[in-house]
Amino acid sequence: GHFNTWLEWNPGDLTLAFEFDNFDLGGNSDLWDIMLLANYQFTDFFAATIRYTHEDGENIAILNNYNSDRITLALLFTITQNFAMNIEYSHTEIDTNAGDGDTDEFYVEGLVSF
């Protein structure tokens, strides 16, 4: 089973959001996560987003207990009405019974809409 809920508040150029997921993966396995997001549209051309995500799983495959925390900063550039660029950096810290670690990710995305 899967339950998802999303709340968003959008006063003008600011968007604030909260998301919650709960997954029943069968047996004793389950996973839940939350996401907090703030986005601000500075101009028609430029926006920025900061996002925090936490995941918490129990009895997930060989990991037994799994926790992660991710912080993301995204810079969004609207090039035309149908094309935008997203430059994004994420840092994730991971905690498992198999060991701890962290990872850094960098994305450059082209977004086409019509």
Side-chain angles (χ1 to χ4, degrees), residues 55-112:
E55 291 182 341
D56 191 309
E58 293 182 15
N59 301 315
I60 307 294
I62 61 170
L63 297 178
N64 289 342
N65 296 316
Y66 162 83
N67 293 301
S68 73
D69 292 294
R70 173 183 285 210
I71 188 84
T72 301
L73 174 64
L75 305 176
L76 302 110
F77 303 92
T78 303
I79 310 301
T80 69
Q81 183 178 354
N82 300 94
F83 181 70
M85 293 292 296
N86 181 25
I87 299 171
E88 185 173 303
Y89 168 76
S90 291
H91 175 77
T92 307
E93 294 183 7
I94 303 165
D95 244 346
T96 72
N97 62 304
D100 303 337
D102 61 0
T103 184
D104 294 301
E105 298 170 284
F106 183 74
Y107 300 96
V108 176
E109 302 170 314
L111 308 168
V112 177

Side-chain angles (χ1 to χ4, degrees), residues 15 35-40 48-52 71-74:
T15 300
M35 186 271 304
L36 302 168
L37 175 141
N39 171 275
Y40 193 79
T49 300
I50 189 161
R51 184 176 61 236
Y52 167 77
I71 188 84
T72 301
L73 174 64

